[in-house]
Amino acid sequence: MTRYTLRRLALGVGQVLAVVTLVFLLVQALPGDAAVTLAGDDPDPARIAAIRQAMGLDQPPLERYADWLAGLARLDFGESLVSGRPVADFLATGLAPTILLAVLTLVLLVPLSIFVGVAAALREGSVLDRVLTSVSVGLHSIPEFALAVVLIAVFGVGLGWVPPTAVGGLTPAVLVLPLLVLLARPICSISRLVRAGMIDALASDYVRHARRLGVGTRRIRYAHALPNALAPAVQQVARTTDWLLGGVIVVEAVFVIPGLGTVLVDAVASRDLPVVQGLAVVFAVTTVVVNLLADLVAFRLAPRSSR
């Protein structure tokens, strides 16, 4: 376990460095000139040159990259080109709503997915199993923005049960529709994995042996079969976390939630490169850490014979 953990940590550090490098290269390749944007509608060449020098844009790319990496090592993401505020301030401003959405989604996602998957597996071939499978396939095929628009039109505008957007503030009622949008597709994919894993586990040799030994049905299902069925689902939860980073951006834009997604969209529109780079680093590190934890949990849950 220790050796596997060290290997995954080393791989994670390499992945973060690769993503950070790629982010820097992509941001530098963006069309246009940030100095020209900041100079105004009728820029003076001397003013543009002064802005470029102040922002360090007149330095060679390798030197800018080295300075940026050195800043990241000190947890210094730089300053906004537009407002002059530290990038960390933008991260702090948008972090709370995004974390709230992501954490609530994951907290609800795991037990609901397990419940749906186990319920379908224990009644394999029944009406309930077929209904859950059909609904899962249907919901999984609907894009997030389309589902969000439908929910807003029906429950926010038509019925008026919940606020359609977060313009009036981020209240518990406002979170209902965004959470439904973020939960719909992941529950479908994860519950299907739990169902398949549970069916395979209940048909395995060790479960049949436990039945012959007189082990109770409830203990067989939830103490023996379920842990082995969860290993692939845990990794799918990690992939869902990756998807959440993109899904939250869409949801925040549709429901006007002032999170990191909104900050990222505004930064890209204004070519605020340090803010874009800082957000990309946060997303990359989050993705690597979540996948690392998921791999360790899945490795722990996997039967020893399969390691």
Side-chain angles (χ1 to χ4, degrees):
M1 182 70 179
T2 302
R3 184 180 301 176
Y4 178 78
T5 302
L6 292 176
R7 286 203 309 267
R8 287 295 291 115
L9 283 173
L11 179 61
V13 171
Q15 289 173 333
V16 170
L17 183 59
V19 171
V20 164
T21 303
L22 181 61
V23 166
F24 179 84
L25 294 176
L26 290 176
V27 169
Q28 300 305 311
L30 287 175
D33 191 325
V36 174
T37 302
L38 294 176
D41 297 332
D42 189 18
D44 179 81
R47 174 171 170 74
I48 294 176
I51 293 175
R52 289 182 59 82
Q53 183 177 7
M55 295 189 305
L57 297 178
D58 58 340
Q59 299 175 355
L62 283 179
E63 186 174 341
R64 295 203 304 272
Y65 175 67
D67 291 341
W68 186 51
L69 284 183
L72 290 181
R74 303 188 303 270
L75 298 180
D76 179 8
F77 295 94
E79 295 181 350
S80 166
L81 300 181
V82 177
S83 66
R85 294 167 52 201
V87 174
D89 290 353
F90 289 88
L91 299 180
T93 299
L95 195 60
T98 299
I99 287 182
L100 180 63
L101 275 176
V103 169
L104 286 177
T105 301
L106 292 175
V107 167
L108 295 172
L109 172 65
V110 174
L112 287 175
S113 299
I114 294 175
F115 175 79
V116 173
V118 171
L122 296 181
R123 296 163 180 81
E124 182 184 5
S126 66
V127 175
L128 176 64
D129 183 23
R130 292 195 293 269
V131 168
L132 291 177
T133 302
S134 300
V135 171
S136 295
V137 173
L139 285 177
H140 197 270
S141 63
I142 303 176
E144 294 80 28
F145 69 88
L147 181 59
V149 171
V150 170
L151 291 179
I152 289 174
V154 174
F155 298 103
V157 177
L159 298 175
W161 289 356
V162 291
T165 66
V167 172
L170 197 60
T171 62
V174 170
L175 295 175
V176 172
L177 296 184
L179 286 174
L180 288 176
V181 174
L182 291 173
L183 284 169
R185 294 185 69 182
I187 283 181
C188 298
S189 58
I190 296 172
S191 63
R192 289 205 301 268
L193 285 175
V194 174
R195 174 188 178 276
M198 193 70 176
I199 291 173
D200 290 342
L202 290 173
S204 63
D205 292 336
Y206 69 86
V207 166
R208 286 195 292 267
H209 181 64
R211 289 196 179 104
R212 287 195 296 268
L213 293 177
V215 180
T217 301
R218 188 178 184 85
R219 181 174 176 81
I220 287 175
R221 288 176 177 176
Y222 302 110
H224 297 285
L226 184 57
N228 289 304
L230 289 181
V234 168
Q235 293 177 322
Q236 182 62 31
V237 170
R239 289 190 287 271
T240 298
T241 304
D242 301 345
W243 169 85
L244 271 178
L245 296 177
V248 165
I249 293 176
V250 174
V251 167
E252 288 179 353
V254 174
F255 291 97
V256 198
I257 297 174
L260 291 181
T262 304
V263 174
L264 178 61
V265 171
D266 293 341
V268 171
S270 61
R271 285 190 54 83
D272 202 343
L273 305 187
V275 177
V276 174
Q277 290 174 331
L279 286 169
V281 169
V282 171
F283 290 161
V285 172
T286 302
T287 299
V288 170
V289 170
V290 169
N291 279 277
L292 170 62
L293 294 176
D295 286 347
L296 295 178
V297 173
F299 182 81
R300 188 71 177 177
L301 289 174
R304 294 185 181 275
S305 59
S306 65
R307 296 181 185 178

